[in-house]
C-alpha cells in the first residue's frame, strides 16, 4: 500500500518499544498507531492549555 505520509525514524530503547507493542496489542492496534494515538493525545492537551497550533 502506497501513501504520501512522511516517514520519521524514531530511536527508542528496546524495553520501551516492547511495552508500547504490548499496549498496542492489548488495544488491538499496531505499535505505529498506538504511538500516533499518544502523539495526538499530547497535542490535544497542549492545545487545550496554550491554544491551537497553526
Amino acid at each position: 500500500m502506497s501513501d504520501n505520509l512522511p516517514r520519521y525514524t524514531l530511536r527508542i530503547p528496546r524495553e520501551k518499544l516492547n511495552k508500547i507493542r504490548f499496549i498496542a496489542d492489548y488495544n488491538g492496534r499496531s505499535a505505529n498507531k498506538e504511538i500516533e494515538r499518544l502523539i495526538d493525545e499530547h497535542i490535544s492537551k497542549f492545545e487545550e492549555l496554550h491554544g491551537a497550533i497553526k
Side-chain angles (χ1 to χ4, degrees), residues 25-42:
D25 186 57
Y26 182 86
N27 289 324
R29 297 183 185 95
S30 67
N32 187 74
K33 285 295 180 184
E34 189 69 28
I35 292 167
E36 187 178 350
R37 187 196 63 77
L38 291 166
I39 291 169
D40 288 343
E41 185 178 309
H42 186 68

Side-chain angles (χ1 to χ4, degrees), residues 7-32:
R7 303 290 188 244
Y8 181 84
T9 301
L10 175 66
R11 291 183 297 266
I12 184 171
R14 173 82 44 205
E15 183 179 344
K16 287 182 184 177
L17 180 58
N18 289 341
K19 289 180 180 188
I20 289 291
R21 286 180 173 154
F22 181 90
I23 294 166
D25 186 57
Y26 182 86
N27 289 324
R29 297 183 185 95
S30 67
N32 187 74

